[in-house]
């Protein structure tokens, strides 16, 4: 049971980190969008679009990782609850 709880707590920390990473991606997209609105006339728009798309793709990968972690966390939580009921 202790090992399951340690693993579960570790997943909570990983989950928090993933949420922070997603937030950073969104902040970067927002910054590039702000820059694009200020400089749209003078910058190479396809490059700016490519940068935003790359960040967005990275964010999606992190969100997929988060989803997998949340599934693992749910399964682990179920095991912990079963063990507590069987005590």
């Amino acid at each position: 049971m202790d090992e399951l709880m340690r693993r579960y707590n570790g997943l909570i920390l990983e989950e928090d980190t993933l949420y922070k990473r997603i937030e950073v991606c969104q902040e970067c997209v927002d910054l590039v969008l702000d820059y694009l609105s200020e400089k749209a006339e003078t910058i190479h728009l396809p490059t700016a679009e490519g940068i935003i798309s790359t960040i967005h793709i990275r964010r999606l990968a992190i969100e997929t990782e988060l989803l997998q972690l949340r599934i693992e966390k749910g399964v682990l939580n179920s095991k912990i609850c079963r063990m507590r009921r069987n005590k």
Side-chain angles (χ1 to χ4, degrees):
M1 175 80 147
D2 288 341
E3 180 57 34
L4 289 178
M5 287 304 298
R6 273 193 291 279
R7 178 70 185 134
Y8 187 82
N9 289 332
L11 290 176
I12 290 172
L13 294 175
E14 286 180 49
E15 185 178 31
D16 289 344
T17 299
L18 290 171
Y19 277 118
K20 288 175 186 171
R21 291 174 64 195
I22 290 168
E23 185 178 319
V24 167
C25 288
Q26 187 58 51
E27 289 174 6
C28 288
V29 166
D30 292 343
L31 286 169
V32 175
L33 287 171
D34 289 344
Y35 179 79
L36 186 128
S37 5
E38 291 175 15
K39 305 283 185 173
E41 306 277 327
T42 59
I43 64 169
H44 189 254
L45 289 176
T47 300
E49 291 171 3
I51 292 167
I52 291 170
S53 292
T54 300
I55 296 168
H56 180 69
I57 289 167
R58 185 66 192 124
R59 178 184 172 155
L60 291 175
I62 296 167
E63 287 178 352
T64 300
E65 190 178 342
L66 175 62
L67 178 62
Q68 293 167 342
L69 181 139
R70 291 179 70 197
I71 291 167
E72 182 181 353
K73 191 174 140 195
V75 169
L76 196 54
N77 185 53
S78 176
K79 289 179 183 178
I80 290 168
C81 288
R82 267 196 317 265
M83 289 181 78
R84 285 181 176 160
R85 282 192 299 257
N86 291 336
K87 277 189 173 186

